[in-house]
Amino acid sequence: MRKALLVAAALVATPAFGQANPQIDYPAFQTLTASVGTARADRLLKFDAFKAEAAKPDVLLLDARSKDAFARGHIAGAVNLPLTDFTADSLAAVIGADPGRPILIYCNNNFSNHRAPVPLKSAPLALNIQTFINLVGYGYPNVWELADVVDFNDPKVGWVTG
C-alpha cells in the first residue's frame, strides 16, 4: 500500500521535466548554465588584477554571502546582497541603472582559511558559480570572478569586519 502511494504521488508531482510549477523552469536554467560556462572561463581574474579592477570607479565588488557572514568579514569595499535575496528589483537597487557595470564577485572558496566566516563549500556548489549564473541570467553580462585562493589574513586582501 505504502509503495503504491509513493508511486502515485511521484506520477502526480512529476510531469515532463518536473514542470508542475510554471514559475520554475529547470530546462531554461540548464540552457542558461550551459551558455554561461564558456563566458565564465574568460572572466576569471588573478588576485592582483581583481584588486586593481576593484579599485576603479564604478566597479561593484559584490559579496553574495549571507548578511551574517558578510558582517563577520569581507573584502574592503564590498557591497553585500545575499544570493537568496537576488530579484530583478534588489539587483537593480544595488547595481544601478547600467546593466553593463563591471561586477566583481568572490565567495568562501576563494579563501584558504576554511573557517568562519568562509567555511569551504563543496566545489561544484561554490557560491561564485551560482552568483555568476544568476547575475548573467538577470541581465548583467559584465561579471568577473576572483580566480585565486587567498588567505584573508594577508594584508593585501584588505579583509575587514563589521
Side-chain angles (χ1 to χ4, degrees):
M1 173 75 171
R2 177 176 154 84
K3 185 176 180 182
L5 286 174
L6 290 174
V7 170
L11 291 173
V12 171
T14 56
F17 284 94
Q19 291 304 113
N21 183 339
Q23 299 183 106
I24 299 172
D25 190 344
Y26 188 73
F29 174 77
Q30 290 176 305
T31 300
L32 173 64
T33 300
S35 71
V36 167
T38 303
R40 184 178 164 267
D42 295 331
R43 297 297 183 110
L44 300 171
L45 296 174
K46 301 293 283 171
F47 177 74
D48 290 337
F50 185 88
K51 288 293 284 188
E53 289 298 312
K56 292 181 179 178
D58 296 325
V59 172
L60 175 65
L61 179 56
L62 181 65
D63 185 322
R65 296 174 307 132
S66 72
K67 197 175 288 189
D68 290 341
F70 182 82
R72 289 191 307 257
H74 57 273
I75 296 175
V79 172
N80 182 233
L81 179 63
L83 179 67
T84 56
D85 293 340
F86 279 22
T87 65
D89 290 340
S90 68
L91 286 164
V94 169
I95 296 168
D98 178 8
R101 182 181 187 186
I103 303 167
L104 303 179
I105 61 172
Y106 65 91
C107 77
N108 290 11
N109 287 28
N110 288 118
F111 300 97
S112 60
N113 307 83
H114 306 300
R115 59 182 163 80
V118 291
L120 186 65
K121 295 187 177 276
S122 173
L125 302 173
L127 186 58
N128 279 352
I129 297 168
Q130 300 161 47
T131 302
F132 199 104
I133 292 167
N134 273 262
L135 288 167
V136 171
Y138 274 106
Y140 300 96
N142 201 4
V143 181
W144 299 85
E145 179 182 332
L146 177 57
D148 293 332
V149 176
V150 298
D151 181 340
F152 65 62
N153 293 309
D154 182 336
K156 293 187 297 186
V157 172
W159 193 255
V160 296
T161 57

